[in-house]
């Protein structure tokens, strides 16, 4: 990241968040990082623009809304409101919040599209290929190809599309990367992106016709603009690009930093610069990718059901505690695990017992021994000189570390000063007067020690302000320095050096900063989370807007996806071995299915899911005729040993097709992770084969194989049988690995 030398302006953006899921800590992470950077830049006197917003168009949102029984607009309004509300609650200082459904954005995207077309970079063609709705990405490969990024099945799309001449930018992009090594980071992102482009670029389809939730292509309105072209453009549309209100565009573009998650680097480092080059617009100065926030060691995401909400941490420990933990614990660019235990430990060690306790000791002693008026330190001894040297070292290292986004290093070095100041206080014990020390000498020592410690605190406080804005504002007042927000407006960070506290300054009243977290803090946060997920399920069953599952995390670091219209470059992910532990309870046929957005298929609307129904099995040519009865009579009960004999497993449908001359039969190929197999199922009258591809289902894996119509069937699908005889396949609320056993 480089500061503009010509003007003190700075523009930073977060990715814009999909509105198919409520915000969680993973989203908060990127936004908090941007907030810390933006606060520092403002406090350095930069005219700063910090942009965030929501990505609201596309097939994924249209489908999510439909599943929730809402219009896409209602759906988007509700979730966009949650994002904005959360950022406000956390005190994030964004300057603008762009929604891609706003007219200002839509008009400006149309202008960009028309510009690209007028400049000869967009042409019309037809396309048949694979599309991953979850990632809103074109994927190479034949029908049945699994998305290399998220592992979901792709859909075959055959449409007349507009194409962008991405291939024309292959060489230009590589030259640009070579000439601008600072453009993208970290190094792993740079390497991945470069090898992707070196692999060759094909033209990119940039419009869709099979759905309508998007921005109409100007002059050809049956097309909507490809959602990534729509979304990426937010970085300039929010500044008024292509309108007569483009003062901010002129002032702030090109952006200094687009901060993004590592899995969306291809879009930001390949497509976006190519679009901009084609439109004749300067490129952003840098794209920086953060790693993933993990929970229980897998990517925090709604679809995995392992999310934690930022509100929960803020409610129990405060927003500053969350900021500190995220920036201290995770070296920027790497993945990092979140755990409540680690959070509380770090909070107590570094904030409550560390910085908070240090400030409280010093401010209280200045009140106790000097009536709240800062004494003159007098002549420094070796101890003061040493503490000053450590503080000045932290000061000297600070800018470079912050500029390279090494927040963890910044905090480590500042907490080194906290620890040394603490040690210095303890060693000099201004609260204890030895019998052989005169009153005058003791008072001089107290003055020297407290004034020196207060000065170290002042420097730490100033430097940590971008990361702990609330706590540092309190400390600033306690040091008698007034409002830190005002100081920030006056570029106070340009002028921090040792010796800024003036003797005679009247301190403010001591006030607690970080009360020690008690043992139950972890439990309290966990309870809030449990309560939250319960109310989401209740809301879903009441037909309220509930977030839809987002893309599942790939088990390993994501690779850059295969380019459009090229052979698949990566084999689908290696299959997971059968999980030894059963996954979350399967809501097959039981009431909770109705709460799951995934099960609310439009053709099942109006069915009363609150009544428990017995699962019917859907095997071979046996169509699920007849309604399953009530609960089993006592004489029909089985023991656990009987049940355990049935090997129930999670499988994913990879191929589904009708069996010629058999009305009821579908031939499925399913993936169990550890093996693929063929199953024949009598569900052809109830399920369109193409809609089954990609779906995770439950099968009886140890059923003896049998032949039907000359084809072998190895296993049986599980489904609920509705009163009218229709089967409903068992599915899951949470993301489950293939091959996981149900028991
Ligand atoms: N809408 C696109 C971005 C368009 S930008 C022009 C998108 N949205 S998203 O909601 O799926 O993700 C938004 C950002 O949140 C991404 O940068 C993503 O990496 C980040 N995160 C979502 N979950 C995350 C974690 N668990 N950890 C860290 N960041 C995560 O992609």
């Amino acid at each position: 990241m480089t500061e503009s030398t010509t003007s003190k302006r700075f523009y930073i953006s977060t990715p814009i968040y999909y509105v198919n899921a409520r915000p969680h800590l993973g989203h908060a992470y990127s936004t908090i990082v941007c907030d810390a950077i933006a606060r520092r830049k403002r406090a350095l006197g930069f005219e700063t623009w910090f942009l965030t917003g929501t990505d609201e168009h596309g097939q994924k949102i249209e489908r999510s809304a439909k599943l929730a029984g809402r219009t896409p607009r209602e759906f988007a309004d509700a979730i966009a409101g949650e994002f904005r509300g959360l950022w406000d609650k956390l005190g994030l200082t964004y300057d603008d919040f762009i929604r891609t459904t706003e007219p200002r954005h839509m008009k400006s995207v149309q202008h960009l599209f028309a510009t690209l077309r007028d400049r000869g970079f967009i042409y019309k063609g037809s396309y048949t290929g694979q599309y991953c709705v979850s990632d809103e990405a074109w994927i190479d490969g034949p029908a049945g190809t699994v998305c290399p990024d998220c592992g979901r099945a792709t859909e075959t799309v055959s449409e007349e599309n507009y194409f962008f001449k991405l291939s024309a930018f292959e060489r230009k992009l590589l030259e640009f990367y070579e000439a601008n090594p600072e453009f993208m980071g970290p190094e792993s992102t740079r390497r991945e992106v470069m090898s992707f482009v070196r692999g060759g670029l094909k033209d990119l389809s940039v419009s869709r016709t099979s759905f309508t939730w998007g921005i109409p292509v100007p002059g050809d309105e049956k097309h909507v603009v490809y959602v990534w072209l729509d979304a990426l453009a937010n970085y300039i549309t929010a500044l008024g690009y292509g309108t007569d209100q483009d003062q901010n565009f002129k002032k702030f573009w090109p952006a200094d930093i687009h901060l993004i998650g590592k899995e969306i680097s291809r879009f930001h480092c390949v497509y976006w610069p190519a679009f901009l080059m084609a439109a004749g617009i300067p490129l952003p100065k840098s794209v920086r990718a953060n790693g993933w926030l993990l929970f229980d060691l897998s990517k925090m995401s709604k679809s995995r059901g392992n999310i934690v909400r930022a509100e929960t941490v803020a409610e129990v420990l405060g927003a500053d505690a969350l900021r500190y933990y995220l920036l201290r614990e995770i070296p920027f660019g790497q993945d990092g695990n979140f755990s409540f235990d680690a959070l509380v430990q770090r909070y107590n060690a570094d904030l409550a017992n560390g910085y908070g306790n240090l400030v409280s000791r010093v401010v209280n002693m200045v009140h106790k021994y000097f009536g709240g008026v800062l004494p003159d330190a007098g002549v420094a001894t070796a101890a003061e000189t040493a503490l000053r040297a450590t503080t000045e070292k932290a000061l000297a290292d600070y800018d470079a570390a912050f500029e390279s986004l090494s927040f963890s290093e910044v905090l480590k070095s500042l907490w080194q000063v906290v620890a040394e100041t603490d040690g210095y206080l303890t060693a000099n014990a201004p609260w204890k007067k030895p019998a052989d020390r005169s009153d005058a000498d003791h008072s001089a020592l107290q003055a020297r020690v407290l004034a020196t410690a207060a000065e170290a605190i002042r420097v730490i406080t100033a430097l940590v302000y971008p990361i702990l804005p609330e706590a540092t504002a309190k400390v600033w007042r306690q040091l008698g320095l007034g409002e830190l927000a005002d100081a920030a407006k006056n570029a106070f960070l340009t002028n921090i050096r040792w010796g800024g506290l003036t003797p005679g300054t009247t301190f403010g009243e001591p006030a607690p900063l970080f009360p020690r977290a008690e043992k139950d803090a972890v439990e309290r946060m966990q309870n809030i989370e449990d309560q939250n997920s319960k109310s989401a399920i209740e809301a879903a069953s009441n037909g309220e807007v509930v977030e839809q599952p987002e893309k599942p995390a790939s088990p390993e670091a994501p690779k850059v996806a295969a380019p459009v219209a090229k052979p698949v470059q990566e084999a689908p992910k290696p299959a997971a071995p059968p999980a030894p532990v059963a996954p979350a309870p399967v809501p097959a046929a039981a009431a909770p299915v109705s709460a799951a957005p995934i099960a609310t298929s439009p053709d099942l609307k109006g069915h009363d899911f609150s009544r428990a129904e017995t699962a019917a099995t859907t095997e071979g040519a046996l169509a699920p005729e007849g309604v399953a009865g009530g609960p089993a009579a006592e004489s029909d009960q089985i023991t656990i040993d009987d049940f355990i004999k049935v090997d129930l497993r999670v499988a994913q449908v990879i191929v589904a097709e009708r069996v010629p001359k058999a009305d009821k039969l579908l031939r499925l190929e399913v993936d169990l992770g550890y093996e693929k197999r063929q199953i024949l199922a009598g569900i052809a009258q109830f399920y369109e084969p193409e809609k089954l591809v990609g779906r995770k289902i439950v099968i009886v894996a140890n059923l003896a194989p049998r032949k039907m119509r000359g084809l072998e069937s190895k296993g049986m699908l599980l489904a609920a049988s509705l009163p009218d005889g229709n089967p409903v396949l068992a599915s899951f609320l949470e993301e489950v690995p293939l091959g996981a056993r149900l028991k």
Side-chain angles (χ1 to χ4, degrees):
M1 151 176 155
T2 47
E3 287 169 14
S4 162
T5 44
T6 50
S7 69
K8 286 195 73 165
R9 282 190 191 130
F10 184 79
Y11 175 25
I12 186 165
S13 63
T14 70
I16 49 171
Y17 302 99
Y18 283 133
V19 289
N20 69 317
R22 283 180 179 152
H24 58 67
L25 265 187
H27 305 121
Y29 177 49
S30 316
T31 323
I32 285 173
V33 167
C34 285
D35 185 68
I37 297 172
R39 282 177 185 270
R40 173 170 168 272
K41 285 291 176 179
R42 289 192 200 103
L44 281 170
F46 283 74
E47 192 177 358
T48 299
W49 201 253
F50 166 17
L51 175 71
T52 188
T54 40
D55 186 354
E56 306 188 4
H57 286 130
Q59 211 165 358
K60 166 164 157 152
I61 308 299
E62 191 181 72
R63 284 189 187 173
S64 296
K66 199 170 174 191
L67 282 169
R70 294 295 171 107
T71 64
R73 174 153 311 268
E74 284 169 344
F75 193 77
D77 283 350
I79 305 253
E82 293 213 24
F83 272 95
R84 196 172 181 148
L86 175 62
W87 302 158
D88 291 341
K89 206 183 260 177
L90 295 177
L92 304 184
T93 55
Y94 59 89
D95 294 288
D96 192 6
F97 187 103
I98 180 98
R99 297 183 55 188
T100 56
T101 49
E102 286 177 72
R104 62 167 173 155
H105 172 77
M106 295 176 63
K107 273 193 224 131
S108 183
V109 167
Q110 289 181 323
H111 179 81
L112 176 63
F113 194 98
T115 305
L116 293 172
R117 197 171 47 192
D118 294 348
R119 291 170 68 105
F121 291 104
I122 283 185
Y123 63 93
K124 214 174 200 175
S126 64
Y127 179 77
T128 298
Q130 299 308 114
Y131 193 75
C132 170
V133 175
S134 182
D135 283 352
E136 298 283 12
W138 301 102
I139 305 294
D140 281 350
T145 298
V146 168
C147 171
D149 269 350
C150 74
R152 288 186 199 273
T154 56
E155 296 180 14
T156 303
V157 170
S158 195
E159 287 178 9
E160 180 198 69
N161 286 170
Y162 282 97
F163 282 82
F164 172 72
K165 287 187 184 167
L166 186 61
S167 55
F169 292 91
E170 196 176 304
R171 199 178 41 80
K172 285 187 190 133
L173 283 169
L174 287 170
E175 282 167 7
F176 173 75
Y177 303 146
E178 296 290 354
N180 297 278
E182 285 291 295
F183 174 66
M184 53 195 170
E187 192 46 37
S188 49
T189 297
R190 183 176 156 77
R191 272 200 308 269
E192 247 177 36
V193 168
M194 288 188 65
S195 86
F196 174 76
V197 177
R198 282 192 191 114
L201 295 177
K202 290 267 167 97
D203 291 351
L204 177 71
S205 165
V206 286
S207 75
R208 301 291 310 272
T209 48
S210 57
F211 65 95
T212 55
W213 184 238
I215 301 176
V217 165
D220 194 355
E221 317 225 317
K222 74 175 194 298
H223 289 254
V224 292
V225 176
Y226 173 43
V227 67
W228 269 101
L229 173 53
D230 166 350
L232 288 162
N234 91 88
Y235 301 128
I236 54 175
T237 66
L239 300 179
Y241 160 78
T243 71
D244 51 12
Q245 301 206 315
D246 63 354
Q247 312 82 318
N248 277 340
F249 180 66
K250 289 187 178 127
K251 201 181 215 182
F252 290 107
W253 190 258
D256 291 84
I257 302 182
H258 289 322
L259 194 110
I260 60 163
K262 64 181 182 181
E263 79 284 9
I264 53 176
S265 50
R266 173 176 37 130
F267 301 98
H268 284 82
C269 301
V270 182
Y271 298 173
W272 182 227
F275 295 150
L276 291 169
M277 282 173 178
I281 300 171
L283 308 196
K285 292 180 202 155
S286 80
V287 178
R288 288 286 172 273
N290 60 251
W292 286 341
L293 199 58
L294 314 176
F295 190 64
D296 292 339
L297 298 178
S298 66
K299 185 192 178 199
M300 191 178 285
S301 80
K302 181 68 200 162
S303 59
R304 289 196 162 242
N306 66 344
I307 60 156
V308 174
R309 290 171 201 275
E311 298 90 317
T312 302
V313 178
E315 193 179 318
V316 175
L317 299 176
D320 273 5
L322 175 62
R323 296 168 72 101
Y324 181 84
Y325 176 82
L326 293 175
L327 297 190
R328 171 66 180 79
E329 204 72 11
I330 308 168
F332 185 83
Q334 296 177 23
D335 292 349
N337 199 50
F338 176 86
S339 98
F340 286 122
D341 286 324
L343 166 70
V344 169
Q345 259 177 36
R346 191 128 326 262
Y347 172 88
N348 276 337
D350 291 8
L351 297 178
N353 299 343
Y355 177 59
N357 186 46
L358 174 68
V359 172
S360 152
R361 286 165 91 190
V362 172
V363 171
N364 275 302
M365 283 192 278
V366 170
H367 277 279
K368 185 166 175 190
Y369 303 124
F370 296 98
V373 177
L374 186 75
D376 194 327
V379 182
T381 70
E384 285 75 44
T385 308
L387 182 58
R388 175 176 176 168
T390 307
T391 312
E392 286 181 332
K393 165 96 175 65
L395 240 173
D397 294 344
Y398 177 78
D399 280 326
F402 220 115
E403 288 289 312
S404 63
L405 311 186
S406 308
F407 309 109
S408 190
E409 296 307 314
V410 166
L411 290 171
K412 265 188 222 160
S413 117
L414 292 178
W415 258 251
Q416 179 69 27
V417 185
V418 169
E420 275 204 40
T421 312
D422 242 346
Y424 164 78
L425 274 184
T426 307
N428 290 287
W431 55 88
K432 200 166 76 190
K433 179 175 160 320
D436 61 350
R437 190 186 290 157
S438 72
D439 284 352
D441 282 354
H442 185 60
S443 185
L445 176 138
Q446 286 180 316
R448 195 174 69 242
V449 171
L450 292 178
T452 306
E455 180 56 24
I457 289 174
R458 185 190 69 90
V459 174
I460 299 165
T461 302
L463 300 186
V464 83
Y465 152 76
I467 296 173
L468 299 180
E470 266 180 44
T472 50
K474 289 186 195 163
V475 177
W476 215 244
R477 275 181 227 123
Q478 291 180 43
L479 294 178
L481 296 172
E483 292 307 310
L484 190 48
D486 294 341
K489 276 187 207 131
N490 293 321
F492 82 116
L493 271 186
T494 50
N495 197 22
I496 299 295
R497 53 187 68 93
W498 183 269
L501 270 180
T502 318
T505 303
T506 304
F507 272 24
E509 284 308 307
L513 292 178
F514 297 104
R516 217 189 129 71
E518 297 306 329
K519 280 204 191 82
D520 67 349
V522 168
E523 205 177 283
R524 278 169 60 207
M525 287 187 277
Q526 274 161 346
N527 286 343
I528 299 176
E529 280 305 306
D530 292 348
Q531 203 47 49
N532 263 322
S533 43
K534 257 194 229 138
S535 35
I537 293 200
E538 278 153 21
S541 56
N542 292 334
E544 292 165 25
V545 171
V546 194
E547 64 266 47
Q548 300 300 309
E550 55 181 325
K551 59 197 165 203
S554 16
E556 67 270 359
K559 300 180 183 88
V560 176
V564 169
K566 278 184 57 209
V568 194
Q569 293 182 329
E570 293 161 350
K573 292 192 171 43
V581 185
V586 190
V593 174
S594 63
I598 193 172
T600 323
S601 100
D603 48 344
L604 298 178
K605 268 207 198 106
H607 178 69
D608 177 9
F609 283 102
S610 59
R611 287 187 302 118
E613 287 153 346
T614 315
T617 55
T618 303
E619 184 214 351
L622 302 174
E625 295 152 358
V627 182
E634 220 164 274
S635 58
D636 292 335
Q637 285 174 352
I638 59 168
T639 66
I640 190 74
D641 293 331
D642 293 323
F643 173 72
I644 216 82
K645 287 183 199 150
V646 186
D647 189 13
L648 298 172
R649 298 275 178 177
V650 177
Q652 186 167 38
V653 179
I654 45 180
V655 175
E657 56 188 26
R658 293 179 191 282
V659 176
K661 297 193 194 125
D663 292 352
K664 294 178 179 173
L665 265 194
L666 288 187
R667 189 186 77 81
L668 307 178
E669 276 172 40
V670 302
D671 186 359
L672 278 157
Y674 55 95
E675 95 178 18
K676 296 195 175 77
R677 53 165 82 179
Q678 172 173 287
I679 297 182
L680 301 176
I683 54 172
Q685 289 160 314
F686 310 100
Y687 284 95
E688 293 296 325
E690 52 277 16
K691 294 217 172 113
L692 284 175
V693 175
R695 209 169 144 163
K696 283 190 178 161
I697 54 171
V698 178
I699 68 161
V700 180
N702 59 346
L703 195 73
R706 52 185 285 195
K707 274 208 163 169
M708 281 173 263
R709 309 252 170 184
L711 298 166
E712 185 177 64
S713 178
K714 268 183 84 182
M716 179 169 94
L717 276 50
L718 246 57
S721 178
L722 302 191
D724 54 8
N726 288 4
V728 178
L729 289 170
S731 55
F732 296 88
L733 294 172
E734 290 88 355
E735 191 58 27
V736 284
L738 301 188
R741 183 157 188 200
L742 285 82
K743 53 187 184 179

